[in-house]
Amino acid sequence: ASCMKTILICEDDFALRELMRAAVGPTYRIVEASDGNDALELVRSVDPDLVILDLMLPGRSGAEVLAALREDPRTASTPVVVVTAWTHIDEDMLAAGASRFVRKPFDPDQLRNTVEELLPEQ
């Protein structure tokens, strides 16, 4: 099981986290955070291969989490999929280092395809 890639899902809504977990599927190890501070602590402890990041988070916003990930050399190149209902934020987030966007309400197939594209099989 050591070859399983780890995905951190950072979303404050429990039902959406469950939906994301189901969408991504059982072939990844999933860790979950419900706020931005937890997300950054988990990133340091589990070193995920990919982060799915909601922008509207308690504690630290998704934008702040993304900035912190990009500033840290260990996570500067970790793919980050930003999930948001906001439509006007794409360019700002891409400039800040987001890898991809998935719109809320999200299509589970789109989320899974995006993850698979960013994390090709070994």
Side-chain angles (χ1 to χ4, degrees), residues 25-120:
T27 54
Y28 301 100
R29 175 175 163 238
I30 306 287
V31 290
E32 296 179 18
S34 57
D35 71 51
N37 295 320
D38 282 357
L40 287 174
E41 281 177 27
L42 275 169
V43 163
R44 292 188 187 107
S45 60
V46 306
D47 190 25
D49 296 289
L50 181 139
V51 178
I52 297 174
L53 182 62
D54 179 37
L55 287 184
M56 297 289 287
L57 294 169
R60 238 183 245 220
S61 73
E64 290 172 312
V65 171
L66 179 60
L69 293 175
R70 290 301 174 242
E71 283 160 16
D72 185 331
R74 289 171 303 174
T75 54
S77 60
T78 303
V80 177
V81 178
V82 169
V83 182
T84 179
W86 298 346
T87 52
H88 59 275
I89 202 156
D90 294 18
E91 284 175 17
D92 293 344
M93 288 290 104
L94 286 171
S99 309
R100 294 282 188 287
F101 278 93
V102 174
R103 290 257 170 270
K104 277 184 178 177
F106 66 91
D107 171 352
D109 290 335
Q110 187 199 358
L111 184 66
R112 187 174 63 249
N113 292 341
T114 302
V115 165
E116 287 172 357
E117 183 187 325
L118 291 167
L119 287 184

